[in-house]
Amino acid sequence: MPYAILRFQKRKAGSIASCERHNERRKEAYKSNPDIDVERSKLNYHLVNPPRYTYKKEINRMVKEAGCKVRRDSVMMVETLITASPEFMNSLPPEEQKKYFTMALDFIAERVGRQNILSAVVHMDEKTPHMHLCFVPITPDNRLSAKAFLGNQKSLSQWQSDYHERMSSRWDELERGQSSMETGRKHIPTWLFKMGTRLDKQYEEIVSALSDINAFNAGKKRDKALEILASWLPEMEKFSKEIHKQDSYIKNLKARIGEEADYAGRMRDEKYAEELKVQKANQRIFELQKTNQQMERLLKKIPPEVLDEIQESNRNQTRER
């Protein structure tokens, strides 16, 4: 199931030069990205030629001409990565690949203004053909504002829907991946990660408590074990309930990473550092599932009569409050 891929990355002044060196192949070597075959770099081509001078000089000229106000932390350029799932892109003949990138260029130009596009270069010297399109976010009323074009999370989701609609009008096998907007959650709440860490740390203590419970003793050791389990049980149940609520979001992440990580993972150049950080962060979410499975296995080891005793004790404490 191939996906149409559209990615934005905001660029402040300090990262523009390195971005240009990568896009325009102005490096002598690419040790950070061994997938670049310099022998094939002659096959790369532009749909929008780069500026006569450097990206930075052209951006400064455009900003000055428009009279834009610029802050130290202003986003000076937006870089757009345009491609599709590797198996799809590599199955297209060269003329169809070029048509794909041309359609994508037209799509972007309609929304950001062709006059704002600095460069659109197609890389054929890596494993999957892709295009880097860079534009200066100057609005019709002469403001420098990436937010005006990209908007918020909802706007970015609409960008993806519109992009898929345009590209699938010619290649109907293309799918649109589910966004976090559509799964009903923007992110996994921070408190869930913290709770997962606490439960992991409690693991050995709970295993020990279960051992004491299973021993036929009625002394202080058993009472202490019951106290530990009574404290652990409500937090574990809350954690498990939330993980199951997040199930559709987690499944979507797995699908997306499965389809796209192979491509993104090969992009080792510094410009993809942030995207790779996001991928690693998503892996943390799957660790929550492992913690939950471990806790549920522990729960099953509690004898039913002991579990009833703990739950009744917790109910009594709630009523007393």
Side-chain angles (χ1 to χ4, degrees):
M1 191 163 52
Y3 288 88
I5 297 172
L6 176 69
R7 293 284 181 268
F8 295 110
Q9 188 164 1
K10 297 174 182 177
R11 293 286 183 183
K12 296 180 182 179
S15 64
I16 289 172
S18 62
C19 173
E20 179 179 7
R21 286 194 297 271
H22 175 88
N23 291 358
E24 307 300 337
R25 293 299 191 251
R26 290 177 182 162
K27 293 182 180 180
E28 292 182 4
Y30 295 90
K31 293 180 181 179
S32 62
N33 191 346
D35 289 328
I36 294 177
D37 181 356
V38 293
E39 295 297 319
R40 289 176 50 82
S41 293
K42 61 181 179 290
L43 301 176
N44 297 344
Y45 60 91
H46 285 84
L47 294 181
V48 174
N49 289 320
R52 181 179 175 185
Y53 301 108
T54 64
Y55 283 11
K56 197 167 186 178
K57 284 184 178 179
E58 181 63 9
I59 291 169
N60 289 339
R61 184 197 67 78
M62 292 170 66
V63 167
K64 184 178 179 180
E65 188 177 282
C68 301
K69 292 181 180 179
V70 181
R71 302 187 310 274
R72 182 177 295 181
D73 63 345
S74 290
V75 173
M76 305 299 290
M77 183 181 82
V78 177
E79 183 179 16
T80 313
L81 172 69
I82 295 165
T83 186
S85 298
E87 69 278 8
F88 172 79
M89 288 305 305
N90 289 312
S91 71
L92 296 179
E95 62 273 15
E96 278 292 284
Q97 289 177 355
K98 189 169 185 178
K99 182 62 179 176
Y100 182 94
F101 294 124
T102 301
M103 281 185 67
L105 168 63
D106 292 341
F107 170 81
I108 299 291
E110 289 168 11
R111 286 159 174 76
V112 307
R114 194 170 289 262
Q115 75 281 359
N116 284 338
I117 298 176
L118 280 177
S119 174
V121 57
V122 177
H123 287 168
M124 301 296 293
D125 57 359
E126 297 180 57
K127 291 184 179 180
T128 302
H130 57 277
M131 180 166 71
H132 296 280
L133 184 154
C134 295
F135 69 90
V136 185
I138 298 176
T139 66
D141 58 350
N142 293 330
R143 290 180 297 116
L144 185 66
S145 174
K147 187 176 182 180
F149 291 102
L150 303 183
N152 55 19
Q153 186 73 21
K154 185 175 181 180
S155 301
L156 286 170
S157 183
Q158 190 60 50
W159 265 96
Q160 296 290 340
S161 296
D162 293 343
Y163 175 65
H164 170 256
E165 183 179 355
R166 175 68 64 87
M167 306 312 286
S168 64
S169 66
R170 182 178 178 94
W171 297 279
D172 58 8
E173 65 268 42
L174 287 172
E175 296 284 340
R176 184 224 187 276
Q178 265 192 309
S179 72
S180 58
M181 290 294 295
E182 295 163 320
T183 63
R185 299 223 44 128
K186 293 182 181 179
H187 56 81
I188 301 293
T190 304
W191 64 261
L192 194 59
F193 288 107
K194 292 180 179 178
M195 182 180 284
T197 301
R198 285 200 305 273
L199 289 171
D200 277 336
K201 288 179 178 179
Q202 290 175 345
Y203 180 77
E204 294 300 331
E205 186 181 24
I206 301 305
V207 170
S208 176
L210 283 173
S211 176
D212 291 338
I213 286 289
N214 289 333
F216 291 99
N217 59 343
K220 292 182 179 179
K221 200 173 183 182
R222 184 178 189 277
D223 292 342
K224 179 63 176 174
L226 282 171
E227 183 182 333
I228 291 170
L229 287 172
S231 173
W232 168 79
L233 191 60
E235 190 164 73
M236 182 270 157
E237 289 175 338
K238 181 179 179 182
F239 180 80
S240 182
K241 185 178 180 180
E242 186 65 24
I243 288 293
H244 289 303
K245 280 171 60 179
Q246 300 284 351
D247 190 54
S248 62
Y249 178 68
I250 293 170
K251 283 179 180 177
N252 172 59
L253 279 176
K254 285 181 176 177
R256 237 180 343 111
I257 289 174
E259 292 288 342
E260 298 179 19
D262 181 57
Y263 174 75
R266 291 197 300 267
M267 300 296 157
R268 299 184 188 90
D269 205 55
E270 60 181 338
K271 63 198 304 306
Y272 288 94
E274 289 306 311
E275 183 166 345
L276 294 178
K277 283 180 185 177
V278 171
Q279 296 255 349
K280 289 177 182 178
N282 288 340
Q283 295 296 336
R284 291 178 58 212
I285 296 169
F286 307 144
E287 293 301 317
L288 293 178
Q289 284 187 311
K290 291 181 181 178
T291 296
N292 186 54
Q293 290 165 1
Q294 181 173 259
M295 294 301 118
E296 288 183 340
R297 285 194 295 271
L298 280 179
L299 182 63
K300 290 178 181 177
K301 291 180 179 180
I302 301 177
E305 64 277 9
V306 173
L307 190 60
D308 289 341
E309 184 179 346
I310 294 170
Q311 290 173 335
E312 180 61 30
S313 174
N314 283 340
R315 282 193 293 268
N316 289 338
Q317 288 178 15
T318 302
R319 282 195 291 267
E320 288 172 4
R321 289 177 195 155

